[in-house]
Amino acid sequence: MSYALTDRHSRTHRSLRISIVDKCDLRCTYCMPEDQHFLKREELMTREEIATIARLFVERYGVNKIRLTGGEPLVRPDAADIVRDMAALPVKLGLTTNALTLHKHLDALIDAGLKSINISLDTFDAERFKTIARRDGIDTVHANILLALQRGLRVKLNMVVMRGVNDDEILRFVELTRDHLVHVRFIEFMPFAGNHWGRERVYTYSEMLGHIGSVYSFEKLNDDPHSTAKAYRVPTWPGTFAVISTVTEPFCGDCDRMRLTAEGKMRNCLFAREETDLLSALRRGEDIAPLIEANVLAKHAMLGGLPQFKPEKEEEVLHDLSARPMVSIGG
Ligand code: SAM
Ligand code: SF4
């Protein structure tokens, strides 16, 4: 039997993000605290456990979209096997990666059934990349983006826009959509544990659109019903760009996402303060369905129950977000 989960706002939850590992081969300042500790291997969900939990979400709760993420999913040796398991399910499958080692995995990922990939890229400048990611690697990442396009994958590029860090590169990213069939997403810098967030560093989505519009005319595209991004394109250019305005204009009313951390904890919101430990229950041989249902029912109407990111609430919000850095939630 298949039935949809609905929360008290009568919203169906069809999209599941699964973090398959919390480690990463980059250490982006906006994502990973300097003193980050990682899970031990036995604490991570195994390939089989990921498949069991994902299948339950799909078969019982109608999930039709799965995105694999991390940490960096490609640091996990069995990443392509996990992709294969997910691709066998009736879902739209995606993977989010920093693309640092994509060239080594691309054949296996495509063979496993991957058709769509999100790649994080915040700058075209080598020194900046080193400052943001705390590692070298920009040339490899650029080459791997082109490789993914050449191999026919649908490619979205995620840029976290930070004032005074990379906001002067927005137009260059827009121009990528003239030269390539690529979908650029400009993401407002969000606060998470240990990422030195400050309101003054958020380059807002209205500033982004104003800046782009001062040089290029663009048109609005239709957004998917539960999309978190507002999409646009410069007419006649093959690619598109979108803005994700979590901080200045949250889109919680349309959000249909559920999340699973690498240690099998379910989160009903990116900003959730409560988690449900599905993996321990699964390992004890218990039925995890009631846990999933209770987790969804507990979903807050907005921002995981945080007060909005208003200046007067800032201290409260930052305190409440101190539990998990983005690297161990998965984006
Ligand atoms: N390692 C992979 C990558 O970088 O694409 C997947 C994990 S990463 C946590 C997922 C996404 O979250 C990336 O696109 C990253 O840019 C985004 N992200 C991380 N920290 C963020 C923050 N503070 N604000 C906005 N987006 C963030
Ligand atoms: Fe790693 Fe991705 Fe976070 Fe950067 S954004 S530290 S690549 S998980």
Side-chain angles (χ1 to χ4, degrees), residues 250-308:
F251 31 75
C252 304
D254 289 330
C255 175
D256 72 341
R257 295 198 179 148
M258 298 173 283
R259 292 182 155 79
L260 200 55
T261 67
E263 78 270 47
K265 295 199 169 138
M266 182 177 170
R267 298 171 65 86
N268 57 26
C269 176
L270 193 52
F271 299 108
R273 268 90 31 93
E274 298 91 30
E275 302 177 330
T276 304
D277 185 355
L278 300 186
L279 183 60
S280 298
L282 185 78
R283 287 183 177 174
R284 288 193 299 269
E286 294 167 14
D287 179 10
I288 61 171
L291 297 178
I292 294 173
E293 291 167 23
N295 184 286
V296 171
L297 280 168
K299 185 174 168 82
H300 290 273
M302 189 174 254
L303 295 173
L306 285 181
Q308 279 203 41

Coordinates of all heavy atoms in Angstrom, one line a residue, residues 250-308:
P250 N 12.0 33.4 3.1 CA 11.9 31.9 3.2 C 10.7 31.4 2.4 O 9.7 32.1 2.3 CB 11.7 31.7 4.7 CG 12.1 33.0 5.4 CD 11.9 34.1 4.4
F251 N 10.9 30.2 1.9 CA 9.8 29.6 1.1 C 9.2 28.4 1.8 O 8.8 27.4 1.1 CB 10.5 29.2 -0.3 CG 11.9 28.8 -0.1 CD1 12.2 27.5 0.5 CD2 12.9 29.6 -0.4 CE1 13.5 27.2 0.7 CE2 14.3 29.3 -0.2 CZ 14.6 28.0 0.3
C252 N 9.2 28.4 3.1 CA 8.8 27.2 3.8 C 7.5 26.6 3.5 O 7.2 25.4 3.5 CB 8.8 27.5 5.3 SG 10.4 28.1 5.9
G253 N 6.5 27.5 3.1 CA 5.2 27.0 2.7 C 5.1 26.0 1.6 O 4.3 25.1 1.6
D254 N 6.1 26.0 0.8 CA 6.1 25.1 -0.4 C 7.1 23.9 -0.2 O 7.3 23.1 -1.0 CB 6.6 25.8 -1.7 CG 5.5 26.7 -2.1 OD1 4.3 26.4 -1.9 OD2 5.8 27.8 -2.7
C255 N 7.8 23.9 1.0 CA 8.9 22.9 1.1 C 8.3 21.5 1.3 O 7.5 21.3 2.2 CB 9.8 23.3 2.3 SG 11.0 22.1 2.7
D256 N 8.8 20.6 0.6 CA 8.3 19.2 0.7 C 9.5 18.3 1.1 O 9.4 17.1 0.8 CB 7.6 18.7 -0.5 CG 8.6 18.4 -1.7 OD1 9.7 18.9 -1.6 OD2 8.2 17.7 -2.6
R257 N 10.5 18.8 1.7 CA 11.7 18.0 2.0 C 11.8 17.4 3.3 O 11.4 17.9 4.3 CB 12.9 18.9 1.8 CG 13.0 19.4 0.5 CD 14.3 20.0 0.2 NE 14.3 20.4 -1.2 CZ 14.9 21.4 -1.7 NH1 15.8 22.0 -1.0 NH2 14.8 21.7 -3.0
M258 N 12.4 16.2 3.3 CA 12.8 15.5 4.5 C 14.3 15.2 4.4 O 14.8 15.1 3.2 CB 12.0 14.2 4.7 CG 10.5 14.5 4.8 SD 9.6 13.0 4.9 CE 9.5 12.5 3.2
R259 N 15.0 15.1 5.5 CA 16.4 14.9 5.4 C 16.9 13.8 6.3 O 16.3 13.5 7.4 CB 17.2 16.2 5.8 CG 17.0 17.3 4.9 CD 17.8 18.5 5.4 NE 18.1 19.4 4.2 CZ 17.3 20.2 3.6 NH1 16.0 20.3 4.1 NH2 17.6 20.9 2.6
L260 N 17.9 13.1 5.9 CA 18.5 12.0 6.6 C 20.0 12.3 6.8 O 20.6 12.5 5.7 CB 18.2 10.7 5.9 CG 18.3 9.4 6.6 CD1 17.4 9.3 7.8 CD2 18.0 8.2 5.6
T261 N 20.5 12.4 8.0 CA 21.9 12.6 8.2 C 22.7 11.3 7.9 O 22.1 10.2 7.9 CB 22.2 13.1 9.6 OG1 21.9 12.1 10.5 CG2 21.4 14.4 9.9
A262 N 24.0 11.4 7.8 CA 24.8 10.2 7.5 C 24.7 9.2 8.6 O 24.9 8.0 8.4 CB 26.3 10.7 7.3
E263 N 24.4 9.6 9.9 CA 24.2 8.6 10.9 C 22.7 8.2 11.1 O 22.3 7.7 12.2 CB 24.9 9.1 12.2 CG 24.1 10.1 13.1 CD 24.5 11.5 12.7 OE1 24.5 11.9 11.5 OE2 24.7 12.3 13.6
G264 N 21.9 8.5 10.1 CA 20.6 8.0 10.1 C 19.6 8.7 10.9 O 18.6 8.1 11.4
K265 N 19.8 10.0 11.1 CA 18.9 10.8 11.9 C 18.0 11.6 11.0 O 18.5 12.2 10.0 CB 19.6 11.7 12.9 CG 20.4 10.9 13.9 CD 20.7 11.7 15.1 CE 21.2 10.7 16.2 NZ 22.4 11.2 16.9
M266 N 16.7 11.5 11.2 CA 15.8 12.2 10.3 C 15.6 13.6 10.8 O 15.4 13.9 12.0 CB 14.5 11.4 10.2 CG 13.5 12.1 9.3 SD 12.0 11.1 9.2 CE 10.9 12.2 8.3
R267 N 15.6 14.6 9.8 CA 15.3 16.0 10.1 C 14.2 16.5 9.2 O 14.2 16.2 8.0 CB 16.6 16.8 9.9 CG 17.8 16.5 10.7 CD 19.0 17.2 10.2 NE 18.9 18.7 10.4 CZ 19.2 19.3 11.5 NH1 19.7 18.7 12.5 NH2 19.1 20.6 11.5
N268 N 13.2 17.2 9.8 CA 12.1 17.6 8.9 C 12.3 19.0 8.4 O 11.5 19.5 7.7 CB 10.8 17.5 9.7 CG 10.8 18.3 11.0 OD1 11.5 19.3 11.1 ND2 9.9 17.9 11.9
C269 N 13.5 19.6 8.7 CA 13.8 20.9 8.2 C 15.3 21.1 8.2 O 16.0 20.6 9.1 CB 13.1 22.0 9.0 SG 13.5 23.7 8.6
L270 N 15.8 21.9 7.3 CA 17.3 22.3 7.3 C 17.6 22.9 8.6 O 18.7 22.7 9.2 CB 17.5 23.3 6.2 CG 18.9 23.6 5.7 CD1 19.8 22.4 5.4 CD2 18.8 24.5 4.5
F271 N 16.7 23.6 9.2 CA 17.0 24.4 10.5 C 16.4 23.7 11.7 O 16.3 24.3 12.8 CB 16.5 25.8 10.4 CG 17.1 26.6 9.3 CD1 16.4 26.9 8.1 CD2 18.4 27.0 9.3 CE1 17.0 27.6 7.1 CE2 19.0 27.7 8.3 CZ 18.3 28.0 7.2
A272 N 16.0 22.4 11.6 CA 15.4 21.7 12.7 C 16.3 21.6 13.9 O 17.5 21.5 13.7 CB 15.0 20.3 12.2
R273 N 15.8 21.7 15.1 CA 16.6 21.5 16.3 C 16.4 20.1 16.8 O 17.1 19.7 17.7 CB 16.2 22.5 17.3 CG 17.1 23.8 17.3 CD 16.5 24.9 16.4 NE 15.1 25.1 16.3 CZ 14.3 25.8 17.0 NH1 14.9 26.5 18.0 NH2 13.1 26.0 16.8
E274 N 15.3 19.4 16.4 CA 15.1 18.0 16.8 C 15.3 17.1 15.7 O 15.1 17.4 14.5 CB 13.6 17.8 17.3 CG 13.2 18.7 18.5 CD 12.6 20.0 18.0 OE1 12.0 20.0 16.9 OE2 12.8 21.0 18.7
E275 N 15.8 15.9 16.0 CA 16.1 14.8 15.0 C 15.5 13.5 15.6 O 15.3 13.4 16.8 CB 17.6 14.7 14.8 CG 18.3 15.9 14.4 CD 19.8 15.7 14.3 OE1 20.4 14.9 15.0 OE2 20.4 16.4 13.5
T276 N 15.2 12.6 14.6 CA 14.7 11.3 15.0 C 15.7 10.3 14.6 O 16.0 10.2 13.4 CB 13.3 11.1 14.4 OG1 12.4 12.1 14.7 CG2 12.7 9.7 14.8
D277 N 16.1 9.5 15.5 CA 17.2 8.5 15.2 C 16.6 7.2 14.6 O 16.1 6.3 15.3 CB 17.9 8.1 16.6 CG 19.1 7.2 16.3 OD1 19.3 6.8 15.2 OD2 19.8 6.9 17.3
L278 N 16.5 7.2 13.3 CA 16.0 6.0 12.6 C 16.9 4.9 12.6 O 16.5 3.7 12.7 CB 15.6 6.4 11.1 CG 14.6 7.5 10.9 CD1 14.3 7.6 9.4 CD2 13.4 7.3 11.7
L279 N 18.2 5.2 12.5 CA 19.2 4.1 12.3 C 19.3 3.2 13.6 O 19.3 1.9 13.4 CB 20.6 4.7 12.0 CG 21.6 3.6 11.7 CD1 21.3 2.7 10.5 CD2 23.0 4.3 11.5
S280 N 19.3 3.8 14.7 CA 19.4 3.0 16.0 C 18.2 2.0 16.1 O 18.3 0.9 16.4 CB 19.5 3.8 17.2 OG 20.7 4.6 17.1
A281 N 17.0 2.6 15.7 CA 15.8 1.8 15.8 C 15.8 0.7 14.8 O 15.5 -0.5 15.1 CB 14.6 2.7 15.6
L282 N 16.3 1.0 13.6 CA 16.4 0.0 12.5 C 17.4 -1.1 13.0 O 17.1 -2.3 12.8 CB 17.0 0.6 11.2 CG 17.0 -0.3 10.0 CD1 15.6 -0.4 9.4 CD2 17.9 0.3 8.9
R283 N 18.5 -0.7 13.6 CA 19.5 -1.7 14.0 C 19.0 -2.6 15.2 O 19.4 -3.7 15.4 CB 20.8 -1.0 14.4 CG 21.6 -0.5 13.2 CD 22.9 0.1 13.5 NE 23.6 0.5 12.3 CZ 24.7 1.2 12.2 NH1 25.3 1.6 13.3 NH2 25.2 1.4 11.0
R284 N 18.0 -2.1 15.9 CA 17.4 -2.9 17.0 C 16.3 -3.7 16.5 O 15.6 -4.4 17.2 CB 16.8 -1.9 18.1 CG 17.9 -1.2 19.0 CD 17.2 -0.6 20.2 NE 16.2 0.4 19.8 CZ 16.4 1.7 19.7 NH1 17.7 2.2 19.9 NH2 15.5 2.5 19.4
G285 N 16.0 -3.6 15.2 CA 15.0 -4.5 14.5 C 13.6 -3.9 14.7 O 12.6 -4.6 14.5
E286 N 13.5 -2.6 15.0 CA 12.2 -2.0 15.3 C 11.6 -1.5 14.0 O 12.3 -1.2 13.0 CB 12.3 -0.9 16.3 CG 12.6 -1.4 17.7 CD 13.1 -0.2 18.6 OE1 12.8 0.9 18.3 OE2 13.7 -0.6 19.6
D287 N 10.3 -1.3 13.9 CA 9.6 -0.7 12.8 C 9.8 0.8 12.9 O 9.5 1.5 13.9 CB 8.1 -1.0 12.9 CG 7.3 -0.4 11.8 OD1 7.9 0.1 10.8 OD2 6.0 -0.4 11.9
I288 N 10.4 1.4 11.8 CA 10.8 2.8 11.9 C 9.6 3.7 11.3 O 9.7 4.9 11.4 CB 12.1 3.2 11.2 CG1 12.1 2.8 9.7 CG2 13.3 2.5 11.9 CD1 13.3 3.3 9.0
A289 N 8.6 3.1 10.8 CA 7.5 3.9 10.1 C 6.9 4.9 11.1 O 6.7 6.0 10.8 CB 6.5 3.0 9.5
P290 N 6.6 4.4 12.4 CA 5.9 5.4 13.3 C 6.9 6.6 13.6 O 6.4 7.7 13.8 CB 5.7 4.6 14.6 CG 5.7 3.1 14.1 CD 6.6 3.1 12.9
L291 N 8.2 6.3 13.6 CA 9.1 7.4 13.9 C 9.1 8.4 12.8 O 9.2 9.6 13.0 CB 10.5 6.8 14.1 CG 10.8 5.8 15.3 CD1 12.2 5.3 15.3 CD2 10.5 6.6 16.6
I292 N 9.1 7.9 11.6 CA 9.1 8.8 10.4 C 7.8 9.7 10.4 O 7.9 10.9 10.3 CB 9.1 8.0 9.1 CG1 10.4 7.2 9.0 CG2 8.8 8.9 7.9 CD1 10.5 6.3 7.8
E293 N 6.7 9.0 10.7 CA 5.4 9.8 10.7 C 5.4 10.8 11.8 O 5.0 12.0 11.6 CB 4.3 8.8 10.9 CG 4.1 7.9 9.6 CD 3.2 6.7 9.7 OE1 2.3 6.7 10.6 OE2 3.4 5.8 8.9
A294 N 5.9 10.5 13.0 CA 5.9 11.4 14.1 C 6.9 12.6 13.7 O 6.6 13.8 14.0 CB 6.4 10.8 15.4
N295 N 8.0 12.3 13.1 CA 8.9 13.4 12.7 C 8.3 14.4 11.8 O 8.4 15.6 11.9 CB 10.2 12.7 12.1 CG 11.2 13.8 11.8 OD1 11.1 14.5 10.8 ND2 12.3 13.9 12.6
V296 N 7.5 13.8 10.8 CA 6.9 14.7 9.8 C 5.8 15.6 10.5 O 5.7 16.8 10.2 CB 6.3 13.9 8.6 CG1 5.5 14.8 7.7 CG2 7.5 13.4 7.8
L297 N 5.0 14.9 11.3 CA 4.0 15.6 12.0 C 4.5 16.8 12.9 O 3.8 17.8 13.1 CB 3.1 14.7 12.9 CG 2.1 13.9 12.1 CD1 1.5 12.7 12.9 CD2 1.0 14.8 11.6
A298 N 5.7 16.6 13.3 CA 6.3 17.6 14.2 C 6.9 18.8 13.5 O 7.4 19.7 14.1 CB 7.4 17.0 15.1
K299 N 6.8 18.8 12.1 CA 7.4 19.9 11.3 C 6.8 21.2 11.7 O 5.5 21.3 11.7 CB 7.3 19.5 9.9 CG 8.0 20.5 8.9 CD 7.9 20.1 7.5 CE 8.4 21.1 6.5 NZ 9.8 21.2 6.4
H300 N 7.6 22.2 11.9 CA 7.1 23.5 12.1 C 6.7 24.2 10.8 O 7.2 23.8 9.7 CB 8.2 24.4 12.8 CG 8.5 24.0 14.2 ND1 7.8 24.4 15.3 CD2 9.4 23.1 14.7 CE1 8.2 23.9 16.4 NE2 9.2 23.1 16.1
A301 N 5.8 25.2 10.9 CA 5.4 25.9 9.7 C 6.5 26.6 9.0 O 6.5 26.7 7.8 CB 4.2 26.8 10.0
M302 N 7.5 27.1 9.8 CA 8.5 27.9 9.1 C 9.8 27.7 9.8 O 9.9 27.7 11.1 CB 8.1 29.4 9.2 CG 9.0 30.3 8.4 SD 8.3 31.9 8.3 CE 7.8 32.0 6.7
L303 N 10.9 27.6 9.0 CA 12.3 27.6 9.5 C 12.5 26.7 10.7 O 13.3 27.1 11.6 CB 12.7 29.1 9.8 CG 12.8 30.0 8.6 CD1 13.0 31.4 9.0 CD2 13.8 29.6 7.5
G304 N 11.9 25.6 10.7 CA 12.1 24.6 11.8 C 11.7 25.2 13.2 O 12.3 24.8 14.2
G305 N 10.8 26.2 13.2 CA 10.4 26.8 14.4 C 11.2 28.0 14.9 O 11.0 28.6 15.9
L306 N 12.3 28.3 14.1 CA 13.1 29.5 14.5 C 12.3 30.7 14.2 O 11.5 30.8 13.3 CB 14.3 29.6 13.6 CG 15.5 28.6 13.8 CD1 16.5 28.9 12.7 CD2 16.0 28.7 15.1
P307 N 12.6 31.8 15.0 CA 12.0 33.0 14.6 C 12.6 33.4 13.3 O 13.7 33.0 13.0 CB 12.4 34.0 15.7 CG 13.6 33.4 16.4 CD 13.4 31.9 16.2
Q308 N 12.0 34.2 12.4 CA 12.6 34.5 11.1 C 13.9 35.2 11.3 O 14.2 35.7 12.4 CB 11.6 35.5 10.4 CG 10.5 34.7 9.7 CD 10.0 35.5 8.6 OE1 10.7 36.2 7.8 NE2 8.7 35.5 8.4

